[in-house]
Amino acid sequence: MGRKEPDSYDGITTNQRGVTIAALGADCIPIVFADPVKKACGVAHAGWKGTLLGVAMATVNAMIAEYGCSLEDIVVVLGPSVGPCCFTLPRESAEAFHNLHPACVQLFDSPNPCIDIRKATRYIFPGTFSCQHPYFFSYCFGYWENKLLLSFEKYFS
């Protein structure tokens, strides 16, 4: 609010009451950030390029700079995304993920290695993530009890 909107962006933050922000994702990771102390939130769309460029940390840094958030207070949730079984890149592009950490790439010697962008996000972003935690509902692990995650956030008072 009060600033010119950029032509394009992969992350947005706010501390405005009543404003809903959202991150779209199909194969890419929608990431939701919330600081309950400073009452600020953010979302990011982390595709493979945005993951490597650090969109997650850029969103956190914007929350720190704009709203005085502390890294320790920011809660982060990764939304659903494509898995390494289904996401490939040309070997030249996969090299950046392999350089980040070899575990981010499967079949590295193939022409189109499989990329784990979720794992790459965990290596790039110094947050704590859990794939099997009861607060992060999972149908696969049996603790969903009619709960679903939707990657949007609205700041309430």
Side-chain angles (χ1 to χ4, degrees):
M1 300 273 177
R3 293 187 186 181
K4 183 181 181 297
E5 183 177 329
D7 293 332
S8 65
Y9 49 89
D10 278 339
I12 189 167
T13 64
T14 189
N15 68 349
Q16 300 291 314
R17 293 181 182 192
V19 173
T20 301
I21 56 177
L24 299 175
D27 294 336
C28 305
I29 307 171
I31 308 175
V32 179
F33 307 84
D35 182 341
V37 176
K38 294 292 185 176
K39 304 210 182 316
C41 59
V43 293
H45 164 267
W48 72 269
K49 291 179 183 176
T51 297
L52 290 174
L53 291 172
V55 69
M57 275 311 300
T59 305
V60 167
N61 289 335
M63 292 175 68
I64 292 168
E66 294 292 320
Y67 315 118
C69 298
S70 296
L71 184 61
E72 300 80 29
D73 296 329
I74 298 174
V75 178
V76 181
V77 177
L78 300 182
S81 67
V82 69
C85 60
C86 305
F87 184 60
T88 63
L89 286 174
R91 192 167 191 279
E92 303 77 44
S93 300
E95 285 180 17
F97 285 94
H98 190 266
N99 292 339
L100 175 63
H101 196 283
C104 298
V105 182
Q106 297 173 8
L107 307 172
F108 183 65
D109 292 328
S110 73
N112 294 298
C114 297
I115 308 300
D116 190 336
I117 60 172
R118 297 181 69 77
K119 191 171 283 183
T121 299
R122 290 184 185 104
Y123 283 112
I124 291 172
F125 187 72
T128 302
F129 300 101
S130 174
C131 294
Q132 299 178 18
H133 190 284
Y135 293 123
F136 304 119
F137 318 120
S138 170
Y139 181 81
C140 295
F141 291 102
Y143 41 76
W144 64 288
E145 301 172 13
N146 297 320
K147 299 172 186 169
L148 298 172
L149 290 175
L150 178 62
S151 300
F152 76 92
E153 190 164 357
K154 182 172 183 173
Y155 171 70
F156 297 97
S157 58

